[in-house]
Amino acid sequence: MPAMETAESILRVVEWWSWIGLIVAVPFLSFGVDRIDESARGTYLFRVLAVPGVVLLWPIVLFRWVQLERRGRSR
């Protein structure tokens, strides 16, 4: 049974990771991407395509977003 508990734990971590990533992706792709990259304005198909990447890499996205907002930079 330890293998089953390990598998369930891994699935729980993946589920939490995905939920947090989705929570980060919605505001980032709705508001944040416009502030970071001017060329992303009006690119709604790009936002849909970027959802899986943001969900997967949400810690990096969040870190960079906060960094750029603190600097007041818009690239």
Side-chain angles (χ1 to χ4, degrees):
M1 286 297 187
M4 191 63 132
E5 291 173 5
T6 302
E8 288 174 356
S9 296
I10 291 170
L11 286 175
R12 239 179 276 129
V13 168
V14 168
E15 182 180 8
W16 276 100
W17 188 274
S18 299
W19 279 112
I20 295 170
L22 193 58
I23 290 168
V24 169
V26 169
F28 175 72
L29 293 173
S30 297
F31 311 109
V33 76
D34 288 340
R35 294 176 54 93
I36 291 173
D37 189 2
E38 291 179 12
S39 63
R41 291 187 180 152
T43 56
Y44 300 108
L45 183 58
F46 161 75
R47 295 167 198 238
V48 173
L49 294 173
V51 170
V54 175
V55 169
L56 182 64
L57 300 172
W58 68 265
I60 297 168
V61 170
L62 193 59
F63 177 74
R64 289 292 294 154
W65 186 19
V66 169
Q67 264 189 338
L68 291 172
E69 287 294 327
R70 283 186 182 162
R71 288 187 201 156
R73 280 182 47 191
S74 293
R75 287 174 47 166

